[in-house]
Amino acid sequence: MLKVKKINIDKELMKKYKLSEHDLFYIADFNTKEIGYGIIKQGETNKIEIYIYEKYQGNGYGSFLFGKLLKEIDTHLELKVKLDNEKMKRIILKYNGKELSRNGKYVIYVVPKIKKD
């Protein structure tokens, strides 16, 4: 079973992932095995970063993790995604993301706020 749990940020995590004390860090695990992580960088505009380890990609875990993190944000979300990142673009579209603009190597999307469970 896939679970997402919030982890308290310590100095080691702050340094490794370039986090601030206001950011949120989540671990995704499947059957007690860590399969990836997600970060909500909080500030004027919230940003989500997700990463599923390569051997676990292609199973819907990234989409599940993105949805869980999206529920933790109280406003809509703007995301900058590399043009060639097809996996992330599919996830964003699944959550009703709309393309705002293109800027060189990136596409800017807005994703609406979703209701918490």
Side-chain angles (χ1 to χ4, degrees):
M1 174 172 229
L2 183 61
K3 295 181 181 177
V4 177
K5 59 185 171 186
K6 185 176 173 185
I7 303 295
N8 290 328
I9 296 176
D10 59 20
K11 290 184 186 223
E12 185 179 321
L13 279 177
M14 288 174 77
K15 184 177 179 182
K16 183 175 182 178
Y17 296 101
K18 298 182 175 110
L19 302 173
S20 80
E21 60 205 29
H22 305 291
D23 296 334
L24 304 171
F25 190 84
Y26 298 82
I27 294 291
D29 70 41
F30 184 73
N31 294 335
T32 70
K33 184 174 279 193
E34 185 178 322
I35 64 164
Y37 61 87
I39 299 168
I40 299 174
K41 293 200 170 198
Q42 298 190 62
E44 284 184 32
T45 58
N46 292 317
K47 297 176 183 175
I48 288 179
E49 297 177 14
I50 62 170
Y51 186 77
I52 301 298
Y53 304 136
E54 190 171 341
K55 79 182 225 177
Y56 300 104
Q57 292 178 7
N59 295 297
Y61 302 141
S63 181
F64 181 84
L65 177 58
F66 184 83
K68 288 287 191 185
L69 298 184
L70 194 55
K71 288 178 182 177
E72 298 300 316
I73 296 175
D74 293 329
T75 63
H76 73 279
L77 178 68
E78 288 189 23
L79 296 167
K80 181 168 100 173
V81 179
K82 287 185 179 180
L83 277 171
D84 63 352
N85 190 342
E86 295 300 324
K87 290 177 184 178
M88 193 64 209
K89 291 192 302 191
R90 278 194 305 271
I91 291 170
I92 290 167
L93 294 175
K94 177 180 178 177
Y95 287 95
N96 300 313
K98 304 288 184 222
E99 183 177 325
L100 289 179
S101 64
R102 292 178 180 244
N103 181 359
K105 299 179 192 175
Y106 297 95
V107 181
I108 309 299
Y109 291 94
V110 64
V111 181
K113 175 182 143 179
I114 62 174
K115 295 178 184 177
K116 295 182 181 185
D117 295 332

